[in-house]
Amino acid sequence: VMKPRRVFEAPDCERLFVFTTPAQRVGVGAGRRPVAQVVEYLRRRGVPFGLLTNGREWRFVWADTDSLAWVEWDADRWLDVDVCSAQLDVFRRLVSWSALARGGTPLSPLLDAIRDTRRGQAKLSKELGERVRRSVETLLRARAPVVAPAWNDHGGADLYVAACHLIMRLVVVLFAEARELLPVENPVYHQAYGLRGLLDQLDRLTPERRRARQAAWPRLLALFRLLHAGSPHPALAVPAYGGDLFKGGDIDGGGLQRALALLESVAESPDDDAIHRILVLLTRTEIRVREGATYRKVAAPVDFTELTSEYIGILYEGLLDYELRRAGDEPIVFLALGDQPALPLDRLERMDEKTLAALVEKAKVKKAAAEDEDEGDDEAGDEDAEAEQGLGEPLPDEPQPDEPQPGDQGVGLTLDDARAAARARAVEWGRRAARAGKLVKKGKPTDPAYLRDLDAAANQLIADVKLPGELFLVRWGWHTQRRGHLLYPPATHDADRTPHPGPAALRGRR
């Protein structure tokens, strides 16, 4: 149906197929079909590159068996008065001989760059999924004053899914704003409703001022109502998108609706610093950059224009692999091994030496496997062991957990007495486990160096400690598998799962 009008071929060079279409817009409306036909043509013939144009718009397409990417130019922007624009320069570079010629190597420079980019996107996808889960955790912590007293009146699954709904609303809005599906250029929307505008305002405040304010939470609720119900006002005309995702909670409704109403209430509103942390988690990530012989991580924005509605659904499905729990009468310890098993502290303390040795051995195997995987993913390689030092720079204003220093046995922490006592018990167990698993060389109990090594090994075994009554997230089925992770989202059975929200939610579809 769709055949190329021109074909560029040369020895030891990637082929480039050029297609034309009479569609007024490439990839929009009636112009979607030609794009789909070009992609099918490339995939059937195993050709990576195609160029589709209607004479004004030019779309450069890359496709393989299961992935697709494209970049588009408007010819009206190729000239700036009588000077060639930067857009035209980029276009010429991508379709140039130097970009497509292999030069005796398996891949052309352009294909090699795309391969590196896809690898980075896979890492970003994993990182973004983790940050979405941490956003749910942050929200639940911020809403603890209203959730804790009502825990017995609501199911943990309903509360968790309600929190996931709220975070996925933010993801969908960020996606829509990035693609200008919402009136981001409207000053009323930007200053009073938009997430990008809110993040800009919160960035300009100090953490102390953010913690003293509670204006961001009501603004988010107003944004959700605006998108669901719309606005006929001429200063901010927004259609009513409807949809279940942005539908508000109902105290007289079902379990999920009652849980939503609880979380959406303005009672005990989260401070602006909590909302800022959530937005930072969703909009910024960390990338690894090289400086001389070492690497370090720096903050970088997440490009939501690159996300697809399918990927947003995948993010939501990932959240449903977890469920919300509340610690019982004993503190819950998350072990820093494997999938971070969550076990009651008294159960750990009852383990004999043989069981502790087996547990520590498993930790060694998991750690070695993770290190091997990291080495395989990083083709750049680290020339020396110090290349991995100093990587842990946190994103701006992201609070870091309080960790005891070797030898302090939980004393001097900026936590309440109960948390310090629970941590001290956990560290004491960790010392016993480190000795049983031979994580440190034998030494005298009075040797300061031996005690420092022992404390360091003990702390490395403990990822986190939850006090009795505190909320935490575990992988689905925790009650039988005893596997979990600190406050990361829950799931119901597959048959009961809510359809994942995506951009279709803005159009009123399920």
Side-chain angles (χ1 to χ4, degrees):
V1 177
M2 173 72 74
K3 298 183 182 296
R5 292 287 299 273
R6 295 286 188 274
V7 178
F8 170 77
E9 290 184 296
D12 197 29
C13 191
E14 305 292 349
R15 289 185 294 172
L16 176 62
F17 289 75
V18 183
F19 303 82
T20 60
T21 177
Q24 293 296 315
R25 296 287 305 277
V26 174
V28 178
R32 294 179 180 177
R33 182 179 294 274
V35 173
Q37 292 171 341
V38 168
V39 172
E40 181 182 6
Y41 186 98
L42 298 177
R43 285 173 172 168
R44 283 180 177 270
R45 288 158 180 77
V47 178
F49 298 121
L51 188 61
L52 176 63
T53 181
N54 61 4
R56 183 176 59 86
E57 296 175 337
W58 296 73
R59 179 173 292 202
F60 188 72
V61 180
W62 167 82
D64 63 7
T65 54
D66 57 3
S67 300
L68 171 68
W70 54 269
V71 60
E72 189 173 286
W73 299 268
D74 190 330
D76 293 341
R77 300 184 178 182
W78 281 355
L79 291 179
D80 184 5
V81 188
D82 58 347
V83 179
C84 293
S85 68
Q87 288 195 24
L88 179 58
D89 183 55
V90 172
F91 173 77
R92 293 174 61 187
R93 287 175 183 269
L94 282 181
V95 300
S96 68
W97 173 275
S98 60
L100 300 175
R102 299 189 187 94
T105 59
L107 299 176
S108 65
L110 183 54
L111 269 183
D112 189 52
I114 291 175
R115 182 198 61 179
D116 291 341
T117 300
R118 301 303 293 183
R119 185 187 301 113
Q121 287 175 342
K123 293 180 179 179
L124 175 59
S125 298
K126 181 179 179 181
E127 171 72 12
L128 183 57
E130 180 74 7
R131 300 184 80 80
V132 168
R133 288 191 291 273
R134 290 170 58 189
S135 299
V136 175
E137 173 187 6
T138 303
L139 175 62
L140 287 169
R141 282 177 172 168
R143 301 304 283 146
V146 296
V147 171
W151 177 261
N152 294 330
D153 300 328
H154 297 270
D158 289 334
L159 286 169
Y160 177 72
V161 174
C164 291
H165 266 61
L166 291 172
I167 294 301
M168 291 310 299
R169 289 178 185 178
L170 300 179
V171 172
V172 171
V173 172
L174 289 168
F175 171 90
E177 288 185 357
R179 297 200 172 191
E180 298 186 359
L181 301 176
L182 294 174
V184 291
E185 298 298 330
N186 185 307
V188 176
Y189 177 86
H190 180 78
Q191 296 173 13
Y193 293 94
L195 293 185
R196 293 292 179 181
L198 175 59
L199 182 57
D200 290 342
Q201 294 172 18
L202 295 178
D203 279 338
R204 291 194 291 268
L205 301 177
T206 63
E208 292 75 17
R209 289 193 62 189
R210 289 196 296 263
R211 286 191 285 268
R213 291 163 45 104
Q214 294 177 318
W217 182 246
R219 171 170 169 165
L220 292 184
L221 299 179
L223 170 63
F224 300 153
R225 289 195 296 269
L226 171 68
L227 296 179
H228 187 267
S231 168
H233 197 284
L236 181 61
V238 176
Y241 291 105
D244 288 342
L245 179 61
F246 288 93
K247 183 179 179 180
D250 183 359
I251 58 175
D252 298 322
L256 176 59
Q257 289 302 310
R258 290 192 299 112
L260 265 175
L262 178 67
L263 292 180
E264 289 177 333
S265 68
V266 293
E268 300 288 345
S269 295
D271 60 43
D272 287 5
D273 195 53
I275 304 303
H276 180 257
R277 291 198 301 270
I278 291 173
L279 293 178
V280 167
L281 283 169
L282 294 177
T283 59
R284 297 169 193 169
T285 185
E286 291 178 335
I287 59 174
R288 197 161 176 249
V289 298
R290 185 164 187 164
E291 289 189 350
T294 62
Y295 294 87
R296 70 183 182 94
K297 286 183 178 179
V298 297
V302 174
D303 186 1
F304 277 86
T305 60
E306 294 298 319
L307 296 184
T308 63
S309 58
E310 291 78 8
Y311 182 68
I312 292 177
I314 291 173
L315 285 177
Y316 186 67
E317 289 295 328
L319 292 178
L320 295 182
D321 287 336
Y322 295 81
E323 57 187 331
L324 182 63
R325 296 280 177 170
R326 187 168 71 163
D329 297 333
E330 278 290 322
I332 299 294
V333 178
F334 287 82
L335 302 180
L337 61 92
D339 293 324
Q340 289 197 340
L343 298 173
L345 181 54
D346 62 341
R347 178 178 171 183
L348 291 171
E349 291 172 334
R350 290 195 301 267
M351 288 183 177
D352 57 29
E353 303 303 309
K354 183 177 180 180
T355 304
L356 288 176
L359 188 66
V360 172
E361 184 62 29
K362 181 181 179 181
K364 293 179 182 177
V365 173
K366 289 285 187 179
K367 182 178 179 181
E371 290 175 349
D372 291 342
E373 182 179 352
D374 290 342
E375 290 178 1
D377 288 342
D378 184 12
E379 292 189 1
D382 294 339
E383 282 73 11
D384 52 69
E386 295 180 356
E388 290 292 342
Q389 301 300 318
L391 293 183
E393 292 185 10
L395 288 171
D397 299 320
E398 186 175 334
Q400 300 300 299
D402 292 316
E403 294 292 347
Q405 298 302 315
D408 66 10
Q409 302 185 24
V411 176
L413 293 178
T414 59
L415 305 173
D416 56 39
D417 293 340
R419 190 177 302 280
R423 181 78 194 197
R425 281 179 60 192
V427 171
E428 183 58 38
W429 168 84
R431 294 190 187 100
R432 192 161 66 89
R435 287 193 295 265
K438 300 180 180 179
L439 293 180
V440 294
K441 295 181 180 179
K442 290 184 178 180
K444 296 180 180 180
T446 57
D447 183 359
Y450 168 73
L451 293 177
R452 284 195 300 270
D453 292 343
L454 187 62
D455 284 350
N459 282 297
Q460 288 177 357
L461 289 173
I462 302 168
D464 196 17
V465 178
K466 286 294 174 185
L467 294 180
E470 285 191 331
L471 303 178
F472 60 94
L473 294 181
V474 296
R475 287 189 181 277
W476 188 81
W478 174 83
H479 58 286
T480 57
Q481 299 178 20
R482 299 298 187 205
R483 288 166 52 183
H485 197 311
L486 163 66
L487 206 62
Y488 287 173
T492 56
H493 295 286
D494 290 345
D496 299 327
R497 288 186 177 182
T498 304
H500 69 71
L506 287 175
R507 300 192 294 272
R509 302 176 184 172
R510 287 181 64 84

